[in-house]
Amino acid sequence: MGKTLVGGLAPWLLCLALACDAGAGGPEPMTHFIHDSDGRAMILRGVNVMSSSKSDPLRMPTLEAPDVTRMAERWGFDFVRFLIFWDALEPEPGVIDQAYLDRVEERLDWFAAADIAVLLDMHQDVYSARFCCDGAPEWAIHDDGLPFELQGVWFANYFQPAVVRAFDNFWSYEGEHRQLQDHYASAWAAVAQRFRDHPAVIGYDLMNEPSPGSAFDALELGRPANEDGASATFDRERLGPFYQRVIDAIRREDADTYLFYEPRYGFPGAGAASYLPTLSDPREGEARLVMAPHLYSIGLEATGAYGPGDSTVPDWEARRGLESGAAGTPVVLGEWGLDWSTTDADRFGEDVVSMADRLMAGWAYWSYDPGSWGFWDPATQTETGGVAHLVRPYPRRVAGEPLAFSWDAAAGVFSLRWRGAPEVTAPTELVLPARLFPEGYDVDLGADADAASQSVDAARGVLSIRLPADGREHQLRVTRR
Ligand code: 9MR
């Protein structure tokens, strides 16, 4: 672990121990959703595909078509966040590698066949493969010759002078390297032009974990909002305008695909505030912007235990609830994950997924790679780790506006309330994984029972419920037998 990181961790851990006040109010109910072409609200649940792409020379995941079917049928997923990389996309300035996009498209076709929605995520870690990880092509690195020394823990490399400078140069649109952002936006436009009509593609995640470079404020975690701090300035003056440029470039090619944006890398992922300005979607009609934040517990990762005073999840819930309410966007948790050998890992897993249900937010688990963070071992074809937390009932499509849903694992009861919409005639679809209902289930639709028709897709564990399309409120309970 790098020295800077250890030094930087001390105040975070102190804060966790003292359960510092996040300075945010209670969670706001979510009122915005992604919609499918039938007008149904979509709740997206699935997995990141995959960390293994980062080091593959062709930037492809170690994934085959049967993995995709397994995702839908074995775990009930309807969503993946699929990693793509600027270095593969634009290996030389202005040259888009269509053969790379061919390889991506081959995978997208697998997901379309399994009815799994795909978020294309322009991934980066520590700016570029030159420094340890992945992201920008060689020609887009301007580190001004500053030193870089490889650190033992990958994210400690973010504090290396060369990496900090490479980010600062990327963000400085008024500086001498403004063409970096212009290239980045054009590369995205090329992706959009290529995939805007692909049936699997639901959205574009504009940049994975954008690091603020030298605007990193190590004292921020858990503290009351600091509107005047370096991070806030970065969000308002660098990250927000950058996102807007990319949004505008994509929209020139693609009016409809949802655009997902993340808070800056660092403390927001652990529950601190984001200060992103409100972004605008230049498309006609309703905006299609989605907040796609990550969630990781710094305390858990630093100590190997999920401490009883760890307030990551409630802080995150409060912050993202307020921010998405103010921005008028849905929330999809683009990444959450942990090493399942952590002490109290199960409690953390449960805290995250039940919080996401309260927010009615989608999520993509990090990640579909084997290992201690994984849940599937391809060598032995067996499940591992916290798979039990990932297999969970949810309403994948709601004909109208979801109002609340929850799963009580002990009682075996799934509940959903929603308000119908007169123009939405497609059915509401619930994922009810067979392993959770070994003897089957009973569906109670209350007053709607006589008007409803039901059908089951046994392979996927999906129950479809069709009701007369109207604006009334509906309620259902599914009870394990
Ligand atoms: O889990 C990944 C780890 O194995 C890699 O060494 C590291 C650098 O490539 O990336 C990790 O994945 C991270 C992801 O790329 C971005 N968000 C946080 C993930 C977990 O740390």
Side-chain angles (χ1 to χ4, degrees), residues 183-197:
H183 275 287
Y184 190 92
S186 304
W188 252 128
V191 174
Q193 188 188 41
R194 181 74 195 250
F195 294 130
R196 63 190 163 205
D197 295 321

Side-chain angles (χ1 to χ4, degrees), residues 108-116 460:
L108 292 178
D109 292 346
W110 299 344
F111 291 113
D115 195 12
I116 287 178
R460 277 188 89 128

Side-chain angles (χ1 to χ4, degrees), residues 193-436:
Q193 188 188 41
R194 181 74 195 250
F195 294 130
R196 63 190 163 205
D197 295 321
H198 196 286
V201 176
I202 184 86
Y204 308 129
D205 191 333
L206 305 179
M207 183 187 276
N208 180 68
E209 299 184 348
S211 167
S214 59
F216 195 88
D217 180 353
L219 293 178
E220 194 201 358
L221 179 71
R223 299 190 176 254
N226 181 6
E227 297 281 345
D228 302 319
S231 299
T233 307
F234 170 79
D235 285 357
R236 279 194 297 265
E237 296 180 7
R238 297 283 187 223
L239 189 55
F242 160 73
Y243 278 149
Q244 196 61 58
R245 276 176 212 115
V246 180
I247 288 169
D248 293 347
I250 292 176
R251 280 290 179 250
R252 286 193 278 276
E253 295 296 335
D254 178 346
D256 296 331
T257 303
Y258 283 85
L259 303 176
F260 289 55
Y261 64 93
E262 307 184 19
R264 73 182 176 285
Y265 177 65
F267 302 117
S274 160
Y275 304 94
L276 276 172
T278 302
L279 301 168
S280 74
D281 186 345
R283 74 187 294 271
E284 276 178 34
E286 218 177 300
R288 290 191 172 176
L289 300 176
V290 178
M291 184 178 288
H294 297 182
L295 190 165
Y296 291 101
S297 165
I298 292 169
L300 177 154
E301 289 188 29
T303 63
Y306 182 45
D310 188 325
S311 63
T312 304
V313 176
D315 288 352
W316 195 100
E317 179 175 8
R319 295 282 194 205
R320 300 295 93 79
L322 289 170
E323 291 158 6
S324 62
T329 63
V331 172
V332 172
L333 228 162
E335 286 183 18
W336 71 276
L338 71 159
D339 180 333
W340 291 104
S341 68
T342 301
T343 303
D344 274 344
D346 283 318
R347 189 163 54 81
F348 183 71
E350 203 49 36
D351 282 355
V352 175
V353 293
S354 53
M355 180 274 284
D357 285 0
R358 281 196 296 278
L359 285 182
M360 295 189 277
W363 49 252
Y365 181 75
W366 184 272
S367 62
Y368 188 63
D369 292 85
S372 58
W373 286 52
F375 58 93
W376 174 250
D377 179 2
T380 56
Q381 299 274 298
T382 52
E383 294 177 345
T384 63
V387 70
H389 302 284
L390 308 181
V391 180
R392 192 173 172 88
Y394 67 98
R396 71 187 291 272
R397 301 285 185 272
V398 177
E401 185 192 3
L403 299 174
F405 64 86
S406 63
W407 165 239
D408 179 341
V413 176
F414 173 76
S415 314
L416 169 68
R417 278 196 309 120
W418 76 105
R419 187 175 300 109
E423 68 284 3
V424 179
T425 54
T428 293
E429 295 177 359
L430 312 180
V431 175
L432 301 168
R435 73 178 68 182
L436 300 175

